Amino acid sequence: MEFYLEEGRELNPNSSTLILPALSVGNVGQLAVDLLISSLKADKIGCLDDPNVLPCVGNDAYSPAPAGKLALPLEAYESSSSALTLVQQRSPVIKGMMIEYAKNMANFAAANGKKHVIILSSLDFGRWKNIDMSSGMQMYYLSSSNADGTDADCESLGWKSLQDYNPGQRMWKHLDELAEEGSMIDEDFLFEELEDEDYYPSLPFAALFSCFKAKGIKVTCLLCYCSEGDNIPEAFYMAEATSKFTGLNQNQFHGNGADKWIAPFSWQSVYGPPADMSLF
Amino acid sequence: MDDVITDLPPPSRFLLEDLNNFTPRPPHLPSPFLVFSSPNSTKIFCPSILIIALSSPSLHFLHHLSPKTLIGTLILPEIPFSGNSTKPSLKDKSCNIYTLNEKADETIMIALVQFSVTSERAHAVSKLLIGGKINPRRVLILDSVERRNFRGKLSSDEAIAFKLVTSSERGNLTAGDSSVVKGLDYYPSGSVVDGLGAALLSRCELKKIKGTLCVSWPDLGVPVMTLVKSLLVKDVLTGVSYSDDGDYEAEYLKLSRRKDRVDSDLYT
């Protein structure tokens, strides 16, 4: 993975926290990062080039009147007022190359002095067990702070640690092994049917979690359950949770009045063009 | 009407194997490579502009352009040569590279990408075409709009084209220099281009090369051929001596009318 700085830009050594999405059902992490970049009016500082990420290009995703600024698959932004670096991922990883991608991203974070990585992602409602939704949407987390995945700061925000996380479980252990340089996926795992307990470690956030941990970087995964559909509400929920977790205050956002959030311009067509009214 | 049961999901949604860390890796393929007719293996080509044709109208028009000199080809090892002819033909599965109007500072290089490059291979192919043995001052990529990636309305009766440009090219425009293709709107925000066209433009952006990606719609039909030809003739090839053989319009019309296109390695 190579990092290309924008003309005239430098990495801010004070931006020691990195926020990035992990691919997941509903693209919630990616939508939340879009919302954060847009609302913080973060500046694009560079692009990452990774051969494991499929190519895509588009027009500026954020400006209200896009003037042709090119959007690439992996872009890095900085909000200097918040000392945050955000990486947005716009296209999928080549099938079978998620571990490689996660290792490359971990190397990038380590090489650029990141001390804490926050991964935004989601879990499939179809896989939930014993979830209590009586008080509305619930944020879950997985942290490298403690061996059991818990973290005091996350607990103080009322979040629940990832259910059934067991670092000794075979797939989590295998991920830890894979996160080390030079190791290969155990072929036996490729063809076995995944059991319920294998679901979480099979997901992209888990690969990133294990690889950042292997580099000695503190990592926190923020997770919410959702179904695929209109996932904008989950994106707002995730972005709000991230904002609380990183201690962002209202002044650092650029929304209008009481609403601090600015939806990216590209969201206007996120679900395709409007219906052809001539049908009616 | 779309079949929601069996049709591929829209591009923003994932299959289970897309989100599985333990999905088997794709089979290893040998790297693509360039072969040039020049005996000087260390030569670096620095054309004033490299035109890369991916779309049907651009392939058809540029294939019939002359005089151009075949100087090399890009080999994708997984693409068989069977069925290719000894002289360049539009029916070949090939990626031939030509020069047009070879002058001291104004060489135009043309790459006709006549085989399908998967998204997974696009990164490797783009590195070969730009920034290695070929170091163009400017790049023009001619691709097609993919309906599944476009978030606006497309009519098969109306030929349209959009552009995306690199920062270097945009800076060029701000400074008052003219665009390599004129009169095109930017591709609307929210829509994306993927595949080889995207990989090539990304490569230009990262290498700070002035690059333009022009995507046209539809991929077949006389109106879009007229549009693409007009962009090339009026904007890109001005001042260049060339001719085109008149057959290309008749051939293209036949292709556009043909409803069943067989594209199989079984039939050579």
Side-chain angles (χ1 to χ4, degrees):
Chain A
M1 180 182 282
E2 289 179 67
F3 179 49
Y4 294 83
L5 272 169
E6 289 267 291
E7 201 79 42
R9 294 281 183 186
E10 287 178 350
L11 274 172
N12 184 348
N14 296 325
S15 295
S16 60
T17 299
L18 169 64
I19 297 174
L20 75 158
L23 300 180
S24 63
V25 61
N27 304 88
V28 173
Q30 291 159 288
L31 291 170
V33 169
D34 247 4
L35 197 50
L36 285 162
I37 290 169
S38 178
S39 305
L40 291 169
K41 286 212 186 306
D43 297 314
K44 184 168 158 185
I45 53 157
C47 300
L48 295 139
D49 183 33
D50 191 295
N52 301 302
V53 175
L54 294 173
C56 78
V57 289
N59 197 346
D60 182 356
Y62 302 113
S63 303
K69 195 170 174 184
L70 199 60
L72 295 189
L74 275 178
E75 296 180 320
Y77 293 79
E78 252 178 21
S79 167
S80 47
S81 64
S82 335
L84 291 174
T85 303
L86 303 104
V87 165
Q88 176 59 297
Q89 179 182 356
R90 300 188 190 289
S91 60
V93 173
I94 293 174
K95 277 195 250 284
M97 303 305 291
M98 189 63 70
I99 306 285
E100 284 306 308
Y101 166 73
K103 281 188 195 175
N104 290 345
M105 189 56 79
N107 287 337
F108 162 74
N112 289 282
K114 300 305 174 194
K115 304 277 185 293
H116 184 194
V117 175
I118 302 171
I119 299 167
L120 308 185
S121 195
S122 52
L123 304 168
D124 189 355
F125 251 143
R127 290 282 193 159
W128 71 345
K129 300 184 287 185
N130 307 319
I131 306 288
D132 175 13
M133 294 294 285
S134 60
S135 52
M137 225 185 264
Q138 171 68 53
M139 185 59 72
Y140 290 83
Y141 75 94
L142 177 65
S143 171
S144 62
S145 295
N146 299 317
D148 63 356
T150 60
D151 174 83
D153 291 337
C154 296
E155 292 290 328
S156 71
L157 289 167
W159 299 347
K160 293 185 179 175
S161 67
L162 187 65
Q163 282 190 319
D164 304 327
Y165 171 66
N166 173 9
Q169 193 265 349
R170 62 178 192 153
M171 289 300 205
W172 282 111
K173 278 176 68 173
H174 190 44
L175 273 179
D176 284 341
E177 288 159 11
L178 289 171
E180 303 296 336
E181 292 296 330
S183 54
M184 301 287 287
I185 289 184
D186 185 335
E187 299 240 330
D188 291 338
F189 286 142
L190 296 179
F191 303 103
E192 273 190 42
E193 203 161 308
L194 293 183
E195 301 185 7
D196 281 349
E197 60 178 12
D198 301 325
Y199 171 62
Y200 293 140
S202 75
L203 295 176
F205 85 85
L208 287 164
F209 177 77
S210 299
C211 290
F212 284 120
K213 227 173 34 143
K215 288 287 177 187
I217 300 173
K218 180 183 172 184
V219 50
T220 311
C221 303
L222 305 192
L223 307 156
C224 66
Y225 278 88
C226 70
S227 296
E228 207 155 73
D230 179 359
N231 298 108
I232 303 285
E234 284 88 2
F236 274 93
Y237 181 68
M238 177 72 67
E240 183 64 44
T242 309
S243 153
K244 285 194 179 116
F245 186 53
T246 52
L248 292 171
N249 64 53
Q250 189 82 8
N251 296 336
Q252 287 161 309
F253 290 88
H254 294 263
N256 292 323
D259 186 5
K260 64 191 186 193
W261 299 111
I262 304 174
F265 180 79
S266 57
W267 281 19
Q268 291 186 9
S269 59
V270 69
Y271 295 116
D276 182 359
M277 297 311 289
S278 64
L279 291 174
F280 306 105
Chain B
M1 197 162 76
D2 289 345
D3 180 343
V4 297
I5 305 293
T6 59
D7 274 4
L8 287 174
S12 62
R13 300 318 203 190
F14 300 110
L15 299 171
L16 279 176
E17 55 191 6
D18 294 329
L19 298 179
N20 185 353
N21 294 327
F22 306 106
T23 296
R25 284 186 176 217
H28 174 74
L29 291 170
S31 301
F33 56 95
L34 289 167
V35 175
F36 287 104
S37 53
S38 159
N40 182 355
S41 61
T42 59
K43 180 177 178 173
I44 304 288
F45 296 90
C46 300
S48 59
I49 183 166
L50 168 64
I51 304 172
I52 305 174
L54 306 177
S55 67
S56 289
S58 60
L59 284 168
H60 264 79
F61 177 69
L62 290 168
H63 172 78
H64 286 92
L65 218 57
S66 60
K68 57 183 192 291
T69 309
L70 176 63
I71 61 159
T73 192
L74 186 150
I75 306 286
L76 253 189
E78 64 267 28
I79 304 285
F81 292 128
S82 64
N84 285 2
S85 51
T86 49
K87 285 170 74 173
S89 158
L90 272 172
K91 293 180 183 162
D92 291 345
K93 286 196 168 52
S94 63
C95 176
N96 287 338
I97 300 168
Y98 303 84
T99 51
L100 180 75
N101 194 50
E102 198 157 353
K103 286 187 200 170
D105 291 327
E106 298 296 325
T107 304
I108 296 174
M109 198 175 256
I110 300 172
L112 302 183
V113 185
Q114 293 178 197
F115 48 48
S116 180
V117 178
T118 61
S119 289
E120 289 81 357
R121 291 288 253 169
H123 191 268
V125 170
S126 70
K127 283 181 87 166
L128 272 183
L129 284 175
I130 299 169
K133 287 277 285 179
I134 304 174
N135 241 324
R137 293 210 298 271
R138 214 169 192 172
V139 175
L140 172 64
I141 306 145
L142 298 161
D143 201 352
S144 299
V145 175
E146 293 277 349
R147 190 188 273 280
R148 63 189 164 81
N149 291 337
F150 190 74
R151 292 291 188 257
K153 290 185 182 167
L154 294 168
S155 163
S156 48
D157 299 328
E158 187 193 345
I160 49 169
F162 301 98
K163 70 179 179 193
L164 284 168
V165 302
T166 61
S167 310
S168 315
E169 180 71 30
R170 249 176 6 112
N172 216 38
L173 303 180
T174 312
D177 286 348
S178 56
S179 169
V180 70
V181 285
K182 298 176 184 39
L184 293 188
D185 290 336
Y186 284 114
Y187 200 52
S189 175
S191 301
V192 294
V193 178
D194 63 6
L196 181 58
L200 289 163
L201 191 69
S202 296
R203 181 97 179 130
C204 291
E205 176 72 10
L206 297 175
K207 292 295 174 189
K208 300 191 178 359
I209 295 173
K210 291 176 203 152
T212 302
L213 169 62
C214 169
V215 286
S216 57
W217 169 268
D219 197 39
L220 292 170
V222 169
V224 70
M225 166 59 92
T226 307
L227 173 62
V228 170
K229 180 187 170 184
S230 157
L231 288 171
L232 286 167
V233 164
K234 281 185 352 195
D235 300 339
V236 185
L237 300 175
T238 47
V240 174
S241 313
Y242 69 90
S243 61
D244 61 69
D245 74 60
D247 285 344
Y248 85 87
E249 284 184 345
E251 260 188 48
Y252 195 67
L253 197 54
K254 253 196 270 180
L255 176 66
S256 298
R257 283 177 180 158
R258 215 182 315 154
K259 286 185 182 161
D260 297 311
R261 295 167 71 185
V262 176
D263 185 8
S264 166
D265 294 331
L266 288 176
Y267 304 103
T268 59

